[in-house]
Amino acid sequence: DAPGAVADAHEAHVAAVEAVLSAIPATRDAVESAADIAGIQLALTSSGFADGQARWTITCSALEQAVRDQGTGLDLRCTRQDPQP
């Protein structure tokens, strides 16, 4: 069920985006209260935001692939591209 696969991938990606967005306030507060760079790094790596980013990338790639499997080209820019000089 190809359209179902796309819908499932879309729902998973929307849930991942919502998880990242909901983690931002707590992550921001933890970063703001950090006393040094090590504290900032700890705040970022131990937050739901870090886990959410990984989940976002995985679900984004899965959504891209589900759409491509339907014969439609799609580039959601799921992975970070460094700007070219």
Side-chain angles (χ1 to χ4, degrees):
D1 184 34
V6 172
D8 291 347
H10 180 261
E11 289 175 18
H13 186 57
V14 168
V17 170
E18 289 172 348
V20 169
L21 292 175
S22 69
I24 288 173
T27 303
R28 181 184 57 236
D29 292 345
V31 167
E32 286 178 354
S33 66
D36 54 22
I37 296 295
I40 292 171
Q41 289 173 330
L42 179 62
L44 292 174
T45 58
S46 64
S47 70
F49 183 74
D51 292 338
Q53 282 184 304
R55 184 173 163 211
W56 182 90
T57 300
I58 291 166
T59 60
C60 184
S61 296
L63 178 56
E64 270 186 344
Q65 190 59 52
V67 172
R68 285 185 187 140
D69 289 347
Q70 297 303 304
T72 303
L74 178 67
D75 183 3
L76 296 175
R77 299 181 187 249
C78 298
T79 56
R80 182 177 161 204
Q81 302 280 327
D82 289 327
Q84 298 299 316

XYZ file of all heavy atoms in Angstrom:
607
model
N 0.845 -1.188 0.000
C 0.000 0.000 0.000
C 0.885 1.243 0.000
O 1.220 1.783 1.041
C -0.922 -0.053 1.210
C -1.904 1.101 1.248
O -2.352 1.568 0.201
O -2.227 1.531 2.369
N 1.264 1.664 -1.172
C 2.213 2.761 -1.302
C 1.715 4.073 -0.709
O 2.427 4.704 0.058
C 2.595 2.935 -2.760
N 0.503 4.530 -1.036
C 0.055 5.775 -0.408
C 0.025 5.663 1.116
O 0.310 6.619 1.826
C -1.342 5.998 -0.989
C -1.299 5.305 -2.312
C -0.431 4.092 -2.070
N -0.288 4.483 1.606
C -0.266 4.267 3.051
C 1.138 4.396 3.615
O 1.334 4.920 4.710
N 2.126 3.926 2.852
C 3.519 4.033 3.290
C 3.940 5.492 3.370
O 4.638 5.901 4.305
C 4.435 3.264 2.342
N 3.502 6.287 2.398
C 3.821 7.719 2.417
C 3.124 8.386 3.600
O 3.721 9.185 4.320
C 3.437 8.403 1.083
C 3.590 9.917 1.180
C 4.289 7.856 -0.058
N 1.861 8.046 3.813
C 1.117 8.626 4.933
C 1.764 8.250 6.263
O 1.897 9.106 7.156
C -0.340 8.166 4.889
N 2.171 6.999 6.398
C 2.822 6.561 7.645
C 4.135 7.307 7.863
O 4.437 7.747 8.976
C 3.085 5.054 7.621
C 1.803 4.231 7.703
O 0.731 4.789 8.031
O 1.887 3.013 7.419
N 4.926 7.454 6.791
C 6.199 8.166 6.899
C 5.966 9.632 7.230
O 6.697 10.228 8.030
C 6.995 8.032 5.601
N 4.921 10.206 6.648
C 4.588 11.608 6.932
C 4.183 11.786 8.387
O 4.643 12.716 9.062
C 3.466 12.080 6.001
C 3.081 13.492 6.228
N 1.984 13.837 6.983
C 3.659 14.651 5.826
C 1.893 15.162 7.033
N 2.904 15.672 6.335
N 3.339 10.904 8.883
C 2.902 10.989 10.284
C 4.086 10.851 11.238
O 4.176 11.572 12.236
C 1.849 9.930 10.575
C 0.510 10.224 9.921
C -0.496 9.102 10.104
O -0.310 8.248 10.996
O -1.474 9.074 9.339
N 4.997 9.934 10.944
C 6.183 9.754 11.792
C 7.053 11.005 11.769
O 7.587 11.427 12.809
C 6.983 8.534 11.329
N 7.178 11.614 10.606
C 7.999 12.819 10.502
C 7.347 13.990 11.232
O 8.032 14.744 11.934
C 8.261 13.164 9.040
C 9.207 14.306 8.868
N 10.477 14.293 9.398
C 9.066 15.504 8.257
C 11.079 15.433 9.110
N 10.241 16.190 8.424
N 6.053 14.145 11.096
C 5.349 15.214 11.820
C 5.535 15.029 13.327
O 5.796 15.996 14.053
C 3.855 15.256 11.433
C 3.059 16.140 12.376
C 3.695 15.735 9.991
N 5.434 13.811 13.806
C 5.638 13.545 15.236
C 7.060 13.908 15.659
O 7.270 14.468 16.747
C 5.339 12.084 15.557
N 8.042 13.623 14.813
C 9.436 13.969 15.130
C 9.620 15.479 15.180
O 10.295 15.996 16.075
C 10.379 13.347 14.102
N 9.025 16.190 14.239
C 9.120 17.659 14.232
C 8.474 18.219 15.488
O 9.036 19.110 16.145
C 8.477 18.241 12.954
C 8.345 19.751 13.044
C 9.283 17.845 11.725
N 7.320 17.702 15.851
C 6.641 18.173 17.066
C 7.485 17.908 18.308
O 7.532 18.736 19.222
C 5.270 17.522 17.185
C 4.287 18.052 16.152
C 2.967 17.302 16.115
O 2.856 16.207 16.724
O 2.042 17.816 15.461
N 8.174 16.766 18.352
C 9.034 16.443 19.499
C 10.188 17.436 19.604
O 10.528 17.895 20.700
C 9.563 15.012 19.379
N 10.797 17.774 18.471
C 11.890 18.756 18.478
C 11.373 20.104 18.950
O 11.980 20.751 19.813
C 12.545 18.871 17.079
C 13.478 20.070 17.011
C 13.302 17.604 16.746
N 10.253 20.519 18.410
C 9.699 21.825 18.791
C 9.346 21.881 20.272
O 9.583 22.895 20.930
C 8.469 22.144 17.939
C 8.743 22.405 16.465
C 7.429 22.594 15.702
C 9.652 23.607 16.268
N 8.805 20.808 20.805
C 8.424 20.816 22.223
C 9.642 20.790 23.142
O 9.555 21.218 24.300
C 7.490 19.658 22.538
O 8.170 18.427 22.453
N 10.777 20.297 22.650
C 11.990 20.242 23.470
C 12.761 21.558 23.477
O 13.623 21.767 24.340
C 12.903 19.123 22.977
N 12.456 22.455 22.568
C 13.231 23.698 22.454
C 13.183 24.555 23.723
O 14.239 25.000 24.184
C 12.806 24.491 21.200
C 13.311 23.774 19.952
C 13.336 25.930 21.247
C 12.823 24.373 18.643
N 12.027 24.812 24.331
C 12.036 25.683 25.522
C 12.922 25.166 26.656
O 13.701 25.933 27.229
C 10.563 25.738 25.935
C 9.807 25.469 24.678
C 10.656 24.471 23.929
N 12.829 23.891 26.972
C 13.644 23.342 28.064
C 15.126 23.365 27.697
O 15.978 23.656 28.546
C 13.205 21.914 28.397
N 15.430 23.082 26.460
C 16.824 23.116 26.012
C 17.363 24.535 26.086
O 18.474 24.764 26.558
C 16.946 22.565 24.580
O 16.418 21.234 24.562
C 18.384 22.543 24.116
N 16.562 25.487 25.636
C 16.978 26.892 25.701
C 17.252 27.306 27.148
O 18.254 27.943 27.447
C 15.900 27.791 25.076
C 16.279 29.266 25.077
C 15.175 30.164 24.551
N 13.958 29.971 25.335
C 12.776 29.638 24.816
N 12.639 29.471 23.520
N 11.737 29.468 25.600
N 16.360 26.924 28.060
C 16.557 27.265 29.472
C 17.834 26.636 30.026
O 18.580 27.279 30.775
C 15.356 26.811 30.300
C 14.088 27.597 29.983
O 14.180 28.674 29.341
O 12.999 27.123 30.371
N 18.083 25.376 29.659
C 19.283 24.696 30.149
C 20.544 25.349 29.602
O 21.535 25.510 30.325
C 19.241 23.215 29.763
N 20.514 25.763 28.344
C 21.680 26.435 27.748
C 21.887 27.787 28.414
O 23.014 28.159 28.748
C 21.514 26.573 26.217
C 22.543 27.525 25.630
C 21.606 25.208 25.559
N 20.803 28.535 28.630
C 20.921 29.852 29.258
C 21.468 29.768 30.676
O 22.169 30.676 31.127
C 19.567 30.556 29.267
C 19.153 31.071 27.914
C 17.767 31.724 27.922
O 17.065 31.679 28.958
O 17.396 32.268 26.875
N 21.157 28.699 31.387
C 21.624 28.583 32.770
C 22.989 27.910 32.891
O 23.546 27.830 33.988
C 20.599 27.829 33.612
O 20.490 26.498 33.182
N 23.547 27.468 31.788
C 24.864 26.826 31.823
C 25.929 27.856 32.168
O 25.881 28.999 31.721
C 25.173 26.181 30.482
N 26.892 27.425 32.972
C 27.942 28.328 33.434
C 29.133 28.393 32.482
O 29.915 29.342 32.544
C 28.428 27.890 34.819
N 29.274 27.397 31.625
C 30.429 27.359 30.734
C 30.109 26.517 29.498
O 29.004 25.993 29.369
C 31.657 26.806 31.467
C 31.406 25.452 32.118
O 30.477 24.736 31.695
O 32.158 25.097 33.046
N 31.085 26.403 28.614
C 30.895 25.646 27.372
C 30.550 24.191 27.666
O 29.675 23.612 27.011
C 32.162 25.728 26.477
C 32.400 27.162 26.025
C 32.054 24.789 25.277
C 31.334 27.723 25.115
N 31.204 23.604 28.645
C 30.905 22.215 28.996
C 29.448 22.078 29.438
O 28.775 21.099 29.089
C 31.841 21.725 30.092
N 28.956 23.053 30.164
C 27.556 23.040 30.582
C 26.608 23.171 29.411
O 25.544 22.538 29.377
N 26.987 23.985 28.443
C 26.169 24.131 27.233
C 26.142 22.813 26.464
O 25.085 22.356 26.030
C 26.694 25.277 26.352
C 26.462 26.618 27.045
C 26.034 25.250 24.978
C 27.118 27.791 26.373
N 27.311 22.205 26.306
C 27.376 20.931 25.591
C 26.534 19.872 26.293
O 25.817 19.109 25.651
C 28.820 20.473 25.453
C 29.612 21.321 24.482
C 31.090 20.980 24.478
O 31.655 20.550 25.476
N 31.731 21.192 23.328
N 26.609 19.829 27.618
C 25.820 18.869 28.384
C 24.329 19.146 28.207
O 23.534 18.224 28.017
C 26.199 18.923 29.862
C 25.424 17.976 30.780
C 25.675 16.526 30.373
C 25.814 18.215 32.218
N 23.954 20.420 28.254
C 22.547 20.781 28.076
C 22.030 20.328 26.716
O 20.902 19.842 26.598
C 22.378 22.293 28.237
N 22.850 20.476 25.697
C 22.421 20.093 24.344
C 22.374 18.584 24.152
O 21.433 18.058 23.554
C 23.340 20.724 23.300
C 23.240 22.245 23.179
C 24.301 22.768 22.229
C 21.854 22.674 22.746
N 23.369 17.880 24.653
C 23.435 16.440 24.419
C 22.488 15.647 25.316
O 22.113 14.534 24.966
C 24.860 15.897 24.589
O 25.319 16.190 25.907
C 25.795 16.482 23.556
N 22.098 16.206 26.445
C 21.223 15.466 27.353
C 19.764 15.882 27.217
O 18.924 15.450 27.989
C 21.695 15.649 28.797
O 21.571 17.003 29.184
N 19.471 16.669 26.241
C 18.104 17.161 26.076
C 17.313 16.312 25.096
O 17.871 15.577 24.289
C 18.136 18.600 25.566
O 18.595 18.631 24.234
N 16.016 16.454 25.159
C 15.156 15.827 24.171
C 15.378 16.411 22.795
O 15.054 15.795 21.780
N 15.960 17.603 22.751
C 16.224 18.255 21.473
C 17.241 17.446 20.665
O 17.048 17.225 19.474
C 16.739 19.671 21.710
C 16.977 20.444 20.448
C 15.921 20.936 19.699
C 18.266 20.684 20.006
C 16.143 21.650 18.536
C 18.499 21.391 18.843
C 17.432 21.878 18.106
N 18.298 16.983 21.309
C 19.323 16.203 20.600
C 18.730 14.898 20.063
O 18.955 14.536 18.908
C 20.504 15.915 21.518
N 17.965 14.213 20.891
C 17.319 12.977 20.441
C 16.331 13.268 19.320
O 16.221 12.512 18.357
C 16.585 12.298 21.599
C 17.525 11.757 22.656
O 18.713 11.528 22.349
O 17.071 11.573 23.794
N 15.625 14.371 19.457
C 14.645 14.753 18.449
C 15.280 15.066 17.114
O 14.719 14.752 16.061
N 16.456 15.686 17.145
C 17.144 15.988 15.888
C 17.495 14.710 15.138
O 17.331 14.634 13.924
C 18.420 16.792 16.148
C 18.169 18.246 16.431
C 19.478 18.985 16.570
O 20.323 18.640 17.383
N 19.640 20.010 15.764
N 17.985 13.714 15.857
C 18.326 12.442 15.221
C 17.068 11.782 14.654
O 17.065 11.303 13.518
C 19.013 11.523 16.225
N 16.002 11.801 15.431
C 14.735 11.224 14.972
C 14.203 11.991 13.766
O 13.676 11.409 12.822
C 13.733 11.247 16.125
C 12.430 10.610 15.805
C 11.564 10.532 17.054
N 10.183 10.290 16.670
C 9.147 10.726 17.341
N 9.308 11.418 18.451
N 7.934 10.477 16.929
N 14.350 13.310 13.783
C 13.909 14.146 12.664
C 14.626 13.725 11.380
O 14.000 13.553 10.341
C 14.181 15.618 12.963
C 13.707 16.532 11.890
C 12.484 17.111 11.802
C 14.424 16.962 10.724
N 12.404 17.870 10.665
C 13.581 17.794 9.978
C 15.701 16.708 10.240
C 13.966 18.375 8.784
C 16.090 17.284 9.042
C 15.223 18.116 8.332
N 15.940 13.561 11.454
C 16.717 13.187 10.271
C 16.296 11.818 9.741
O 16.106 11.642 8.531
C 18.225 13.190 10.596
O 18.593 14.504 11.014
C 19.058 12.800 9.394
N 16.102 10.870 10.632
C 15.711 9.519 10.227
C 14.333 9.526 9.580
O 14.130 8.938 8.511
C 15.751 8.560 11.435
C 17.203 8.334 11.865
C 15.048 7.243 11.117
C 17.357 7.689 13.222
N 13.377 10.206 10.207
C 12.016 10.202 9.657
C 11.932 11.034 8.384
O 11.146 10.721 7.483
C 10.981 10.702 10.679
O 11.286 12.041 11.077
C 10.918 9.781 11.884
N 12.732 12.069 8.283
C 12.770 12.877 7.065
C 13.270 12.032 5.898
O 12.664 12.024 4.818
C 13.666 14.099 7.287
S 13.721 15.244 5.897
N 14.341 11.313 6.116
C 14.890 10.451 5.064
C 13.904 9.357 4.675
O 13.767 9.018 3.487
C 16.209 9.829 5.525
O 17.174 10.837 5.723
N 13.205 8.809 5.658
C 12.209 7.775 5.369
C 11.058 8.348 4.540
O 10.565 7.685 3.613
C 11.683 7.170 6.664
N 10.641 9.560 4.845
C 9.578 10.199 4.067
C 10.040 10.459 2.635
O 9.314 10.178 1.679
C 9.135 11.500 4.739
C 8.061 12.305 4.007
C 6.808 11.473 3.752
C 7.729 13.569 4.806
N 11.252 10.973 2.501
C 11.805 11.180 1.156
C 11.790 9.879 0.348
O 11.371 9.859 -0.809
C 13.256 11.667 1.234
C 13.434 13.125 1.282
C 14.912 13.503 1.204
O 15.805 12.662 1.400
O 15.149 14.673 0.936
N 12.255 8.802 0.967
C 12.332 7.522 0.262
C 10.952 6.995 -0.085
O 10.737 6.474 -1.185
C 13.104 6.486 1.089
C 13.404 5.232 0.310
C 14.220 5.510 -0.946
O 15.261 6.155 -0.891
N 13.748 5.035 -2.085
N 9.992 7.134 0.819
C 8.636 6.664 0.539
C 8.047 7.400 -0.661
O 7.390 6.787 -1.511
C 7.752 6.854 1.770
N 8.306 8.696 -0.756
C 7.804 9.473 -1.894
C 8.550 9.079 -3.165
O 7.949 8.915 -4.227
C 7.898 10.987 -1.613
C 7.559 11.793 -2.849
C 6.985 11.371 -0.457
N 9.854 8.914 -3.075
C 10.640 8.500 -4.251
C 10.191 7.141 -4.768
O 10.191 6.895 -5.971
C 12.123 8.470 -3.909
C 12.731 9.843 -3.823
C 14.224 9.749 -3.600
N 14.759 11.081 -3.364
C 15.684 11.357 -2.477
N 16.227 10.394 -1.751
N 16.108 12.594 -2.316
N 9.833 6.250 -3.842
C 9.359 4.926 -4.238
C 8.086 5.016 -5.073
O 7.761 4.089 -5.807
C 9.114 4.043 -3.009
C 10.397 3.614 -2.321
O 11.496 3.784 -2.910
O 10.304 3.111 -1.175
N 7.402 6.144 -4.981
C 6.195 6.380 -5.781
C 6.529 7.007 -7.129
O 5.636 7.328 -7.901
C 5.229 7.289 -5.020
C 4.723 6.690 -3.740
C 4.056 5.359 -3.996
O 3.126 5.276 -4.795
N 4.546 4.314 -3.357
N 7.809 7.235 -7.383
C 8.237 7.775 -8.661
C 8.295 9.287 -8.712
O 8.399 9.871 -9.777
N 8.249 9.916 -7.562
C 8.305 11.373 -7.498
C 9.611 11.790 -6.851
O 9.941 11.304 -5.779
C 7.134 11.927 -6.663
O 5.917 11.470 -7.240
C 7.140 13.426 -6.636
N 10.328 12.680 -7.510
C 11.560 13.191 -6.917
C 11.230 14.163 -5.802
O 10.336 14.995 -5.925
N 11.919 14.036 -4.692
C 11.666 14.907 -3.553
C 12.965 15.088 -2.790
O 13.666 14.116 -2.519
C 10.609 14.292 -2.632
C 10.262 15.068 -1.376
C 9.572 16.381 -1.744
C 9.373 14.244 -0.469
N 13.290 16.325 -2.477
C 14.474 16.615 -1.663
C 14.041 17.511 -0.521
O 13.803 18.698 -0.690
C 15.555 17.308 -2.491
C 16.821 17.567 -1.696
O 16.890 17.165 -0.504
O 17.747 18.170 -2.259
N 13.899 16.919 0.653
C 13.508 17.671 1.844
C 14.717 18.244 2.584
O 14.560 18.836 3.635
C 12.700 16.774 2.788
C 11.365 16.280 2.241
C 10.737 15.302 3.217
C 10.437 17.450 1.965
N 15.890 18.022 2.012
C 17.132 18.477 2.640
C 17.241 17.950 4.077
O 17.437 18.707 5.028
C 17.233 19.994 2.590
C 17.249 20.509 1.162
C 17.365 22.013 1.116
N 17.199 22.467 -0.251
C 18.172 22.977 -0.979
N 19.373 23.099 -0.489
N 17.936 23.366 -2.197
N 17.122 16.653 4.161
C 17.129 15.986 5.465
C 18.485 16.019 6.147
O 18.559 15.928 7.363
C 16.684 14.528 5.309
S 15.008 14.365 4.678
N 19.517 16.109 5.364
C 20.851 16.182 5.952
C 21.420 17.564 5.695
O 21.122 18.207 4.678
C 21.783 15.115 5.360
O 21.821 15.247 3.952
C 21.296 13.712 5.720
N 22.229 17.994 6.606
C 22.809 19.339 6.515
C 23.810 19.395 5.378
O 24.678 18.541 5.250
C 23.505 19.676 7.832
C 24.080 21.046 7.829
C 24.691 21.366 9.159
N 25.603 22.470 8.970
C 26.600 22.723 9.740
N 26.859 21.978 10.764
N 27.387 23.734 9.501
N 23.692 20.407 4.588
C 24.634 20.653 3.502
C 25.425 21.906 3.840
O 24.833 22.955 4.063
C 23.873 20.878 2.186
C 22.967 19.742 1.779
C 23.739 18.622 1.133
O 24.726 18.842 0.464
N 23.279 17.400 1.351
N 26.729 21.792 3.899
C 27.544 22.975 4.144
C 27.528 23.838 2.897
O 27.598 23.332 1.767
C 28.971 22.581 4.507
C 29.056 21.958 5.881
O 28.264 22.359 6.756
O 29.904 21.070 6.076
N 27.443 25.144 3.067
C 27.446 26.033 1.902
C 28.742 25.899 1.108
O 29.811 25.727 1.690
C 27.320 27.428 2.490
C 27.227 27.290 3.949
C 27.387 25.853 4.311
N 28.608 25.968 -0.178
C 29.777 25.900 -1.036
C 30.390 27.300 -1.135
O 29.665 28.279 -1.218
C 29.363 25.420 -2.439
C 28.759 24.024 -2.431
C 29.728 22.966 -1.922
O 30.879 22.966 -2.298
N 29.248 22.078 -1.077
N 31.738 27.372 -1.133
C 32.380 28.699 -1.213
C 32.141 29.386 -2.544
O 31.819 28.832 -3.519
C 33.859 28.396 -1.030
C 34.011 26.921 -1.111
C 32.651 26.293 -1.040
